[in-house]
Amino acid sequence: MDAPTAPLMLSGDLAARLDALRGAWRADPDPSLAARQRVLDALREMLLNHEHEWCAAVSADFGHRSDTETRLAELFPSLEGIRHAKKHLSRWMKPQGRPVSLWFKPARAHVRPQSLGVIGVIVPWNYPVYLALGPMLAALAAGNRLMVKMSEFTPNTGALMAALCKRYLAGWVDVVEGDAAVAAAFSALPFDHLLFTGSTAVGRHVMRAASEHLTPVTLELGGKSPCIVAPGFDARRAAEGIVVGKMLNAGQTCVAPDYLLVPETEAPALVDAIRAAATRMYPTLAANPDYTAIVNARHHERLTGLLAEAAARGAKLTEVNPKAEDLSASGKLALTLVEGAPEDSRLMQDEIFGPLLPIVPYRSFDEAIAYVNARPRPLALYLFDTDKARIARTERETVAGGMCVNTTVLHVAQDDLPFGGVGASGIGHYHGHEGFLTFSKLKPVLTMPRLNTLWLLHAPYGARARWLLARMLGR
């Protein structure tokens, strides 16, 4: 007999690990409130007790990642999510009474949230802590176990996550490391639910693999998130919000503004305001501890290739590098504003995921709304405006995973708002109560007391049944 191939051996190992977690879940499929709070406390301790190690691991993976950004964008929202879940978990877990139709009284009905079993989570490289911990805390609050596949592009963070979960969350969470072959085998496992965060292209493969077992999926994808600056809006104020959202993690954020829609006559003033805002926030780049590097050479080359193609086709590039520093050895890339990029250029077609910002002029607000609606539905949409009618119109007439008015990115950090995409930007959502529900089965339960009137509709059907049925049909 031939020796097993590497993929088969890999699949067998992952299946055994899944079986071990499923056995742990079957031993306690409905953990008590106290048990769930203990595991959330362990998750909190895992973050707080190793704060510096998390920052160091992520920075090592990126070549340089601002420690402040890691605390702000990874540790803080994870801890806030844990606090929110603990505060509301008792209420979330309680069976919810539901009304019964008049015709079936005195029956009683309720819905009981139940854990699903073992949840699979595939984590991207851009926020490897938060995008592991966010799904993790929601699934644990719902009483599940988890297998978590970390990105091969963040090996230091992956190794730390694996070691600490084994120490703090043994029997609840199993962390898997490895390359794309491991990810492919992982997505083909018969999980009870699978959450993937990453690109739309890879999301299609994940959904296809999951369909083999009818595994339900939550896909948190990306796309090109538009930012509309309304006519007459203060350029300095808009620039502040745009630069904060675009430059967080050097633009390597799924909800970063991907392109700006700006009134044609106001574009020069906004370009100047963005340059000024970026210079105030990042007066230097190469040695600036606040300025994050591009995660690896492959992504750096992809971004510079997008710029080169746009420039070769006539686009105007404005690089915001206040000290004109040589960034070649730092792995960093300066914020670059791009005007006049052709619509069919890769810059305007692909999700950017870096500090490049195309500017698209428009002549009327109708034209801006039409531009957004003519493209795939985005993960986020941003509007800078003070006109209540235009704000309401944008909210009503556009479809996006989420929306912010006069700020960017911050909707993701609100635990009472569901986070997720729509169409090409994703399927399903999580965070807060919505996350608890995503990883739960709401089991409907109907209880019929001994004394009831259903006998009136039992066969053999006579005049009494026909009379009652006529009333039930509204005749």
Side-chain angles (χ1 to χ4, degrees):
M1 183 181 291
D2 293 337
T5 63
L8 288 176
M9 294 173 66
L10 171 62
S11 298
D13 173 64
L14 292 176
R17 293 166 73 170
L18 174 60
D19 286 344
L21 281 173
R22 185 155 282 136
W25 175 80
R26 285 177 177 147
D28 185 14
D30 186 25
S32 66
L33 172 63
R36 299 184 198 199
Q37 288 183 330
R38 281 195 299 271
V39 76
L40 290 175
D41 284 336
L43 193 61
R44 178 178 177 274
E45 291 173 12
M46 188 178 87
L47 284 172
L48 288 177
N49 293 349
H50 303 275
E51 176 183 346
H52 298 290
E53 293 167 69
W54 290 116
C55 292
V58 175
S59 188
D61 285 329
F62 273 75
H64 172 74
R65 156 77 93 73
S66 164
D67 286 356
T68 300
E69 287 190 348
T70 296
R71 290 184 173 93
L72 177 65
E74 306 240 38
L75 303 187
F76 167 72
S78 298
L79 292 167
E80 281 292 286
I82 293 168
R83 293 187 194 105
H84 183 82
K86 285 196 66 182
K87 179 179 179 181
H88 298 285
L89 187 53
S90 175
R91 176 173 58 84
W92 295 347
M93 289 176 62
K94 287 179 180 176
Q96 309 158 19
R98 297 292 177 88
V100 174
S101 168
L102 171 67
W103 302 104
F104 298 97
K105 289 184 176 180
R108 301 183 308 277
H110 68 269
V111 170
R112 175 180 292 277
Q114 291 189 304
S115 61
L116 294 174
V118 183
I119 309 300
V121 177
I122 301 178
V123 183
W125 54 263
N126 60 324
Y127 291 96
V129 181
Y130 179 50
L131 294 178
L133 272 288
M136 194 185 297
L137 72 90
L140 291 172
N144 300 284
R145 270 60 174 181
L146 293 100
M147 280 182 74
V148 178
K149 165 65 177 72
M150 300 296 290
S151 171
E152 66 270 29
F153 295 141
T154 52
N156 293 285
T157 309
L160 181 61
M161 185 73 73
L164 293 182
C165 283
K166 188 174 293 186
R167 175 176 166 186
Y168 287 86
L169 300 168
W172 290 89
V173 178
D174 184 2
V175 175
V176 175
E177 302 171 82
D179 59 13
V182 177
F186 185 96
S187 63
L189 292 172
F191 291 112
D192 298 292
H193 195 105
L194 178 62
L195 185 145
F196 166 81
T197 304
S199 71
T200 301
V202 177
R204 290 190 177 95
H205 293 294
V206 170
M207 190 172 183
R208 191 175 298 115
S211 70
E212 189 67 26
H213 299 287
L214 297 180
T215 300
V217 295
T218 298
L219 302 179
E220 300 300 347
L221 309 176
K224 300 186 77 63
S225 295
C227 178
I228 305 172
V229 181
F233 192 86
D234 181 73
R236 180 185 172 104
R237 183 181 172 193
E240 293 280 345
I242 291 165
V243 170
V244 167
K246 186 62 175 179
M247 298 313 298
L248 179 69
N249 204 30
Q252 298 166 109
T253 304
C254 59
V255 291
D258 203 271
Y259 63 92
L260 302 184
L261 285 162
V262 185
E264 194 171 50
T265 58
E266 299 174 31
L270 185 62
V271 167
D272 289 343
I274 291 173
R275 291 179 62 186
T279 299
R280 285 194 301 273
M281 294 182 204
Y282 304 101
T284 62
L285 303 181
N288 188 338
D290 294 334
Y291 200 82
T292 294
I294 304 304
V295 68
N296 55 37
R298 171 186 161 191
H299 282 279
H300 195 284
E301 290 169 8
R302 180 184 65 83
L303 291 166
T304 55
L306 295 180
L307 287 177
E309 183 205 14
R313 299 184 62 186
K316 175 186 176 183
L317 309 186
T318 302
E319 184 181 86
V320 187
N321 185 349
K323 301 295 183 184
E325 298 168 86
D326 180 2
L327 303 179
S328 57
S330 68
K332 297 179 179 181
L333 192 62
L335 171 64
T336 305
L337 309 178
V338 184
E339 298 173 84
E343 280 297 324
D344 62 347
S345 65
R346 286 190 300 141
L347 185 75
M348 297 303 296
Q349 295 295 316
D350 298 348
E351 182 177 11
I352 293 173
F353 236 66
L356 319 180
L357 190 56
I359 296 174
V360 179
Y362 67 83
R363 286 164 293 187
S364 70
F365 199 75
D366 287 347
E367 185 180 313
I369 294 293
Y371 188 95
V372 171
N373 287 337
R375 284 152 181 77
R377 291 171 171 177
L379 184 57
L381 183 147
Y382 304 115
L383 173 65
F384 286 87
D385 200 356
T386 55
D387 184 280
K388 291 182 180 179
R390 271 197 308 251
I391 293 170
R393 178 191 173 189
T394 306
E395 185 175 339
R396 184 177 63 251
E397 294 185 8
T398 61
V399 180
M403 178 177 170
C404 288
V405 179
N406 299 335
T407 190
T408 59
V409 175
L410 294 180
H411 64 294
V412 178
Q414 312 309 308
D415 288 303
D416 272 322
L417 290 179
F419 173 66
V422 58
S425 63
I427 297 172
H429 47 239
Y430 67 109
H431 285 194
H433 191 209
E434 279 77 13
F436 177 88
L437 294 176
T438 289
F439 299 121
S440 298
K441 164 60 182 173
L442 295 184
K443 179 192 281 184
V445 179
L446 181 73
T447 302
M448 184 64 69
R450 182 177 180 181
L451 296 176
N452 62 74
T453 58
L454 287 184
W455 63 271
L456 294 171
L457 290 174
H458 290 177
Y461 304 120
R464 184 177 296 164
R466 288 191 292 273
W467 175 86
L468 182 57
L469 186 57
R471 301 302 179 276
M472 293 171 70
L473 294 175
R475 293 177 180 168

